[in-house]
Amino acid sequence: MKQARVLTETEFKRLLAVVAQMKHAGRNRLALMLSHLAGLRVGEIAALTVRDVVDGDGKVREQLRLRAEITKGGHARTVFLNERLRREIERYRTDWPEGGNDDAPLLMTQKRTAFSPNTLCQLMAQLYRLAGLDGATSHSGRRWFITKLAHSGVSPKVIMTLAGHRNLTTTQRYIDVRDDMMKAAVDLL
């Protein structure tokens, strides 16, 4: 089975530039950022509510708790939101509905309803296609997240836990290796 393409930094910037020119740019950018910067699956992103990312005082959370019913393995997990992702969420808040309900979906379709995982998957595929990124799918961000952590020297156990995997071999299948990475590795010697 062919895996989703992992974007280079240049390709990721190009993707964001293409998204910035589109209708619903803020929503689409946040969906991609949740995938790339938190490693969330498309179904997890689609299921997020405002309450999941903003606390009772209106502050963007530093971590969110994914409920068991929205995760692939059926196990709740904590997702840590780095400063860059928290800024993205804060930036997107200007697009939230007036008098927004805390239980409202974080990302809404143009019909103001929650995304289904399938519809969000199709949207992401369209965004990658418009940016000319053949082979990229809604899983590309998750693979990017795991690969980036692995190549930054993060412990495999930590990466496995952040990804919500139960088995290290599953996590290892997500890690992309390219020639430039191998060259950088041997240049360390």
Side-chain angles (χ1 to χ4, degrees):
M1 183 166 129
K2 189 170 180 179
Q3 291 196 318
R5 175 180 178 174
V6 176
L7 277 54
T8 64
E9 293 293 328
T10 303
E11 290 171 331
F12 187 54
K13 287 177 183 173
R14 184 171 78 223
L15 173 65
L16 295 178
V18 167
V19 167
Q21 304 304 313
M22 302 175 68
K23 190 174 181 183
H24 309 295
R27 176 202 67 195
N28 296 346
R29 180 181 170 98
L30 184 57
L32 292 166
M33 292 302 216
L34 287 163
S35 176
H36 282 80
L37 299 180
L40 296 179
R41 294 174 181 96
V42 72
E44 295 165 343
I45 296 169
L48 289 176
T49 65
V50 171
R51 181 187 318 275
D52 290 328
V53 299
V54 178
D55 66 20
D57 295 329
K59 290 184 156 187
V60 175
R61 298 180 188 276
E62 291 186 14
Q63 60 189 36
L64 60 93
R65 184 92 172 134
L66 291 181
R67 302 172 308 281
E69 62 270 13
I70 72 168
T71 65
K72 183 177 179 182
H75 301 281
R77 79 174 192 273
T78 300
V79 174
F80 293 86
L81 307 178
N82 66 22
E83 182 60 34
R84 182 177 176 192
L85 184 52
R86 289 195 311 273
R87 280 193 314 266
E88 290 291 338
I89 293 168
E90 191 62 49
R91 179 178 173 183
Y92 177 65
R93 288 177 84 167
T94 59
D95 292 340
W96 289 356
E98 290 290 323
N101 173 353
D102 286 349
D103 293 319
L106 178 63
L107 303 177
M108 288 194 218
T109 67
Q110 57 191 19
K111 294 180 180 176
R112 310 302 286 165
T113 61
F115 275 95
S116 70
N118 185 47
T119 304
L120 188 55
C121 181
Q122 290 175 31
L123 172 64
M124 286 184 161
Q126 179 185 26
L127 299 176
Y128 287 120
R129 197 170 39 257
L130 290 171
L133 299 169
D134 295 334
T137 72
S138 62
H139 226 55
S140 291
R142 187 165 166 76
R143 287 200 67 221
W144 185 90
F145 173 80
I146 292 169
T147 296
K148 191 91 164 148
L149 291 175
H151 290 287
S152 297
V154 175
S155 158
K157 179 76 172 170
V158 171
I159 298 170
M160 181 183 86
T161 304
L162 288 171
H165 292 151
R166 294 280 183 228
N167 194 315
L168 190 54
T169 58
T170 303
T171 305
Q172 289 172 323
R173 286 194 304 259
Y174 278 73
I175 300 170
D176 188 46
V177 178
R178 296 187 311 264
D179 288 350
D180 62 320
M181 295 171 180
M182 291 187 287
K183 182 185 180 327
V186 297
D187 284 349
L188 292 172
L189 303 176

